Amino acid sequence: MALRFIVPALVAGLALVPSGVARPADPKPVAAFTLADADGKKWAVADQKAKFTVVAFLALECPMSNGYLPVLGEVATKYADKGVALVGVFPDTETTPAQAAAHAKEYKVLFPVFADREQVSVAALGPKVTPEVVVLDEKLVVRYRGRIDDGFAARLK
């Protein structure tokens, strides 16, 4: 069975797990960090109250990253009422908040996006490439880090 959408399946599956279920030995929440959008509006990981927060690491000039924007938009829309919040982060040291906002407007992105020139989110969440996602639970513990889906190779054609 091929996994077509890893993140949607993971989010759907995690949403079904009762919050009282025992989890592995005392996992630690991620380090706190704050980002700001082009208007200066702050977004702090520590303030997130969703059942799951999905942080998608993106790149302005990456065709693979841009190709995933509609998929991520579908995840954001489909799972918002199930307690899932999705945000996009452009961790390139050269990307400004204004560029991130313009890119989101051009690609009709359906979720908040932030530039992270200081890469505080990278230090806290540990992504290795773009595009990549990190899924945090309600206690801000990393539950998944990796590819968005298994369509990576197909998107290269």
Side-chain angles (χ1 to χ4, degrees), residues 27-145:
K28 303 288 185 222
V30 298
F33 64 90
T34 301
L35 302 171
D37 66 13
D39 296 326
K41 182 179 175 188
K42 304 280 186 193
W43 181 90
V45 71
D47 293 341
Q48 301 314 298
K49 303 298 181 211
K51 286 183 184 178
F52 298 99
T53 300
V54 179
V55 181
F57 288 89
L58 308 166
L60 295 178
E61 302 298 326
C62 175
M64 189 69 63
S65 180
N66 292 331
Y68 272 111
L69 292 173
V71 172
L72 292 169
E74 287 176 26
V75 170
T77 302
K78 184 175 181 179
Y79 293 98
D81 64 342
K82 293 177 175 61
V84 177
L86 191 143
V87 298
V89 175
F90 293 92
D92 185 338
T93 59
E94 303 294 317
T95 301
T96 67
Q99 288 171 313
H103 192 76
K105 184 176 180 179
E106 176 184 351
Y107 282 87
K108 299 177 176 76
V109 174
L110 302 173
F111 48 88
V113 298
F114 303 90
D116 182 9
R117 298 177 84 173
E118 291 78 29
Q119 298 188 332
V120 294
S121 62
V122 173
L125 301 176
K128 303 294 183 221
V129 298
T130 58
E132 184 172 334
V133 294
V134 177
V135 178
L136 305 171
D137 68 12
E138 72 281 357
K139 294 182 180 178
L140 303 177
V141 172
V142 174
R143 294 298 171 189
Y144 175 81
R145 178 186 300 110

